[in-house]
Amino acid sequence: MDWHYIIEVLPFYKTALWLTIKLAAIGIFFATMVGFICSTIQYFKVKILSKIVQVYLEIARNTPLLIQLFFLYFGLPKVGVMLSGEMCAIIGLTFLGGSYMAETFRAGMEAVSKSQVESGKALGLSSFQLVRYVIFPQAFSYSVPAYGANCIFLIKETSVFSGIAILELTNTTKNLMGIYYKTNEALFMLVVGYLMILLPFSLFLMWLERRVRYAEFGR
Amino acid sequence: MLNSGVNVLFEGINFLRLLEGLFHTLRIALIAIVISIVMGIIIGMIRTTKNKVVQFPFKLYLELFRIIPILVWLFVIYYIIPVNFNVELSADVVALIVFSLWGTAELSDIVRGAIISLPKHQVESSLALGLSKFQMYRYVLLPQAAKRSIPPMINLITRMIKTTALLTMIGVVEVIKVGQQIIQFYNSEYPTVAFWIYGIIFFFYFCICFPLSWISRKLEQKWAT
């Protein structure tokens, strides 16, 4: 290990780490939104829309992210849709993540027992109130573990962005290896970079899972 | 103009070459899947032990594959081993190693989860019947665990097939690489070729993965306990 070299390239990794975190955070945010909307549509079986959502989910879940990104980044400009690399990355992550999130939230909503929904109706809650006060709070707590797993999955998927020339951790490593041939050091930094993001995050999720168990009533 | 790009697919042997690339990836995935299933079941059974010393290394192994992206694993094995140990590894072999290790890790967890979730009285009854440990696994635990682990196993297989797209990054000549070669060749002639080639690869992956995830979902519903 050449520690001098590692200190020298540290700034590159710092930038790359921030970019990875930034793209992952924006992607997860939009994916959560998309997932939330899609799962609500599916839960209430809104006409037509739920069919469209179904098609979207199947397409997003059954194709690799790399190919989705290649299609966005290399394919679309040829038919006149220009997107920057980062835009493609965010759209790709949202597209893929949204489908996983939708599945998770829907499972959470369906886990809320029927008697809860019926009691809510018997109490005379409007459907908005039913959703706001009965279904979502419980569904939220059911979804947390799977939501966390999805977030980790999406953070890991950012490594695929290296395929469309975004200078995140993986691509930075590849470039540095190409310039200096310091393979061991560069890969060491790459692994450390991901561990720095993912270890604290997964520990936080474990803590959060314990905290939100409050709603698992009657299980 | 849109039409000119799509023609490339039917020109010469382009379509065949794409399919060939696809089969190349699928072959790697398939071998890795078979290895993973065999090893995963064995390790999964070992991991049902209550011995903490045995559990720990397997747990660590699983978590390492869960936390570090597969692409990083591919890079690590692809670059570290030849440089430090003087062993020449082709990209295909690296792919096979990483995919097998990853699949084994994930599958062992699926198998372990399925065995552990079986009701305790199954073990107790078989012990009371005087079955040996081997007989207990062979006739009581594994057949029941199989039912619970097949749907998540098919999901894992779908994920592995999807992840083969990453192999293009370490230089395996699979479907995307072939696509890129075709695009390079025709790019000046037909500017829209990239759109069609990537579109068709998108469609290929969907055609393979969609039936698998559909079967998995159906089985899950059918075998729901």
Side-chain angles (χ1 to χ4, degrees):
Chain A
M1 279 291 183
D2 184 348
W3 295 102
H4 282 290
Y5 169 76
I6 288 183
I7 291 167
E8 225 169 89
V9 294
L10 217 52
F12 290 109
Y13 278 99
K14 215 176 108 195
T15 329
L17 193 69
W18 273 121
L19 187 62
T20 303
I21 294 176
K22 193 182 86 186
L23 291 177
I26 299 174
I28 288 172
F29 175 76
F30 283 120
T32 309
M33 294 292 203
V34 171
F36 187 69
I37 294 167
C38 289
S39 62
T40 314
I41 289 173
Q42 288 229 303
Y43 184 78
F44 291 104
K45 301 195 174 66
V46 183
K47 269 179 207 156
I48 309 167
L49 274 182
S50 77
K51 279 269 178 293
I52 296 172
V53 168
Q54 189 65 35
V55 171
Y56 154 65
L57 293 184
E58 294 300 350
I59 291 176
R61 287 171 60 87
N62 290 313
T63 48
L65 179 61
L66 185 65
I67 264 301
Q68 295 169 2
L69 290 175
F70 276 175
F71 189 72
L72 287 172
Y73 190 68
F74 297 114
L76 286 186
K78 308 291 175 175
V79 288
V81 185
M82 285 296 244
L83 294 167
S84 75
E86 291 192 11
M87 268 312 271
C88 286
I90 291 168
I91 293 173
L93 205 61
T94 308
F95 183 73
L96 179 80
S99 69
Y100 279 78
M101 294 299 188
E103 239 14 45
T104 303
F105 293 149
R106 195 175 56 101
M109 281 156 86
E110 272 164 12
V112 176
S113 69
K114 274 264 149 21
S115 62
Q116 292 275 333
V117 179
E118 282 158 9
S119 321
K121 277 183 189 153
L123 280 171
L125 297 182
S126 69
S127 36
F128 177 76
Q129 286 172 321
L130 192 68
V131 168
R132 167 72 188 77
Y133 297 107
V134 180
I135 298 175
F136 279 165
Q138 297 184 64
F140 172 73
S141 108
Y142 292 137
S143 311
V144 164
Y147 180 73
N150 281 348
C151 290
I152 288 189
F153 165 73
L154 290 179
I155 296 173
K156 280 164 61 181
E157 285 293 286
T158 55
S159 61
V160 176
F161 295 164
S162 56
I164 55 167
I166 286 177
L167 274 176
E168 45 66 76
L169 280 170
T170 316
N171 209 8
T172 304
T173 306
K174 234 169 101 182
N175 286 346
L176 289 174
M177 277 193 308
I179 300 169
Y180 299 106
Y181 292 107
K182 299 261 187 195
T183 320
N184 290 347
E185 287 81 357
L187 289 169
F188 171 73
M189 289 302 288
L190 175 63
V191 173
V192 168
Y194 277 108
L195 288 181
M196 269 171 67
I197 307 174
L198 289 163
L199 267 186
F201 191 73
S202 67
L203 290 176
F204 166 73
L205 283 174
M206 274 151 85
W207 172 82
L208 188 68
E209 261 171 54
R210 280 200 304 274
R211 284 301 301 271
V212 297
R213 288 228 179 100
Y214 68 88
E216 291 183 26
F217 173 76
R219 265 206 145 181
Chain B
M1 177 158 148
L2 273 176
N3 293 330
S4 54
V6 75
N7 282 341
V8 168
L9 282 178
F10 307 108
E11 213 165 89
I13 52 163
N14 285 342
F15 195 75
L16 271 180
R17 279 186 63 205
L18 277 177
L19 279 181
E20 229 170 87
L22 190 67
F23 283 129
H24 188 73
T25 5
L26 284 183
R27 200 164 55 225
I28 293 177
L30 220 72
I31 300 172
I33 287 165
V34 171
I35 297 175
S36 308
I37 290 176
V38 176
M39 293 301 291
I41 291 174
I42 296 170
I43 292 181
M45 275 160 63
I46 297 173
R47 283 191 58 210
T48 53
T49 167
K50 293 212 169 61
N51 189 337
K52 283 254 156 60
V53 186
V54 181
Q55 271 185 358
F56 179 74
F58 288 116
K59 181 87 183 141
L60 187 70
Y61 160 55
L62 173 67
E63 288 303 321
L64 276 178
F65 271 89
R66 285 237 169 114
I67 283 191
I68 296 172
I70 296 302
L71 187 58
V72 174
W73 274 110
L74 287 170
F75 277 145
V76 167
I77 307 267
Y78 189 60
Y79 291 108
I80 289 263
I81 289 184
V83 169
N84 297 295
F85 303 102
N86 252 329
V87 189
E88 284 289 329
L89 285 181
S90 74
D92 290 17
V93 176
V94 172
L96 207 56
I97 295 174
V98 172
F99 272 64
S100 306
L101 284 173
W102 172 45
T104 304
E106 295 272 3
L107 209 92
S108 77
D109 207 46
I110 292 172
V111 172
R112 187 190 79 104
I115 294 179
I116 281 187
S117 74
L118 293 174
K120 218 182 170 145
H121 62 75
Q122 295 283 344
V123 176
E124 284 158 2
S125 326
S126 45
L127 288 177
L129 281 171
L131 296 185
S132 72
K133 210 151 201 170
F134 175 77
Q135 286 171 323
M136 178 174 89
Y137 273 101
R138 167 74 186 76
Y139 295 107
V140 181
L141 295 183
L142 286 182
Q144 294 184 70
K147 235 182 173 182
R148 296 183 185 203
S149 48
I150 282 175
M153 198 165 95
I154 299 176
N155 276 337
L156 177 68
I157 292 173
T158 326
R159 258 167 68 210
M160 285 172 83
I161 292 174
K162 276 196 309 182
T163 312
T164 54
L166 297 184
L167 296 183
T168 189
M169 312 273 252
I170 58 165
V172 176
V173 187
E174 42 73 83
V175 61
I176 299 174
K177 203 72 171 187
V178 174
Q180 282 167 344
Q181 289 164 358
I182 295 175
I183 290 168
Q184 247 165 27
F185 190 77
Y186 289 96
N187 208 5
S188 49
E189 220 178 320
Y190 307 108
T192 56
V193 63
F195 177 84
W196 293 106
I197 295 281
Y198 287 128
I200 196 90
I201 298 175
F202 198 101
F203 180 68
F204 279 164
Y205 271 104
F206 182 77
C207 286
I208 299 168
C209 295
F210 177 68
L212 283 174
S213 57
W214 186 81
I215 292 171
S216 146
R217 205 167 37 234
K218 283 287 155 226
L219 287 180
E220 218 165 307
Q221 284 163 8
K222 199 173 153 197
W223 290 343
T225 37

